[in-house]
Amino acid sequence: MKINLTRERENTLLKEPLMEDIATEAKACHKCDLWKQRRNTVPGEGSLNALVMFIGEAPGYHEDIKGRPFVGAAGKLLDKLLSDINLTRQEVFITSVLKCRPPKNRDPLADEVKICTPYLDRQMKIIKPKIIVTLGRHSTSYVFSKAGLETGNTTRFRGNVYEIGLSGFQISLIPTYHPAAALYDVGYKDKLEIDSQLLKSELENRGKPHTLHKHES
Ligand code: URA
């Protein structure tokens, strides 16, 4: 019997075990103290062939309970921003800088970022997204620093697309606010909407190939 796998499906089959290794390692990870209070690790989820990767800061209360990224109030806004530009969670990959919840949702510590980001680096290498959307200053400064660039606050850097080299591959980086910011100040929501239109234009410039995976067999 001839097995006819599409290249997309072949890629997925190669990538799945690599991504599962990351989830398994994170689950057993004791490299920083965050494991002591976690209920679940939150490695991330979505398409392993995603053109677009969203990187948040760290799991919060609901994510820690469910083991899934952006499932609380900020996640509802992220879902809305995605659906406004005709994207689904299944088409993109969503993760965060830290894979465990910091106590009381405090900011990630520099050491925690240093210890945890090898997981994120491996995820970026597996998925090889063409576009990365960083949600908030922690993921923005991490991705910029990987490209050898410095950042400051999100307000200065958002609203633009940056073409950067990341570990040997080129990506378009769209830094924006963390959706949680919009829960406290609606002004941020408008900016997030503007930045998601930037993402839409980037995808359109690429002939909307984000819908390619729908042809998967
Ligand atoms: N905020 C994040 O940065 N990541 C999540 O997974 C949830 C909330």
Side-chain angles (χ1 to χ4, degrees):
M1 190 174 75
K2 190 165 176 271
I3 298 174
N4 190 8
L5 293 175
T6 61
R7 174 137 345 131
E8 182 94 3
R9 186 71 192 129
E10 251 175 67
N11 277 341
T12 307
L13 289 176
L14 291 172
K15 290 173 173 190
E16 262 166 7
L18 300 174
M19 206 54 111
E20 274 161 22
D21 282 350
I22 295 172
T24 307
E25 285 173 44
K27 215 171 180 174
C29 185
H30 288 181
K31 290 181 185 150
C32 77
D33 283 345
L34 294 182
W35 70 272
K36 291 180 183 164
Q37 294 184 47
R38 76 179 169 219
R39 275 174 276 205
N40 285 293
T41 47
V42 186
E45 65 185 29
S47 166
L48 302 189
N49 297 312
L51 283 188
V52 191
M53 187 165 179
F54 287 82
I55 309 177
E57 177 180 319
Y61 174 82
H62 296 282
E63 291 76 21
D64 178 57
I65 289 177
K66 296 207 170 146
R68 297 184 54 214
F70 283 97
V71 289
K76 287 217 165 61
L77 177 54
L78 181 59
D79 287 346
K80 165 90 172 57
L81 292 165
L82 288 175
S83 81
D84 283 352
I85 57 168
N86 301 318
L87 279 176
T88 62
R89 271 183 178 249
Q90 292 73 36
E91 287 174 289
V92 301
F93 192 86
I94 304 175
T95 187
S96 296
V97 171
L98 299 189
K99 310 307 186 203
C100 295
R101 182 189 181 207
K104 297 187 184 150
N105 297 348
R106 65 152 166 73
D107 280 354
L109 303 177
D111 266 3
E112 290 162 355
V113 172
K114 197 169 163 201
I115 288 166
C116 205
T117 42
Y119 295 127
L120 175 61
D121 293 348
R122 282 162 63 191
Q123 290 178 314
M124 290 194 279
K125 273 197 187 141
I126 293 167
I127 295 168
K128 293 196 178 54
K130 298 277 187 263
I131 304 170
I132 292 182
V133 181
T134 49
L135 303 168
R137 69 195 156 93
H138 293 282
S139 54
T140 301
S141 70
Y142 180 68
V143 175
F144 265 91
S145 73
K146 264 198 88 62
L149 303 165
E150 273 183 34
T151 39
N153 63 25
T154 308
T155 305
R156 216 179 115 209
F157 286 89
R158 63 146 292 277
N160 296 296
V161 182
Y162 299 84
E163 303 302 326
I164 62 169
L166 211 61
S167 317
F169 58 97
Q170 283 294 120
I171 60 138
S172 302
L173 174 62
I174 303 178
T176 190
Y177 294 113
H178 194 286
L183 304 177
Y184 304 107
D185 181 338
V186 289
Y188 290 115
K189 188 161 174 260
D190 295 345
K191 302 285 192 309
L192 274 159
E193 282 167 358
I194 292 169
D195 294 344
S196 65
Q197 290 302 318
L198 268 183
L199 170 59
K200 186 173 180 228
S201 308
E202 273 298 304
L203 288 166
E204 282 168 357
N205 291 343
R206 293 161 195 267
K208 286 201 183 177
H210 63 287
T211 56
L212 267 183
H213 90 278
K214 287 184 178 153
H215 302 297
E216 213 173 84
S217 61

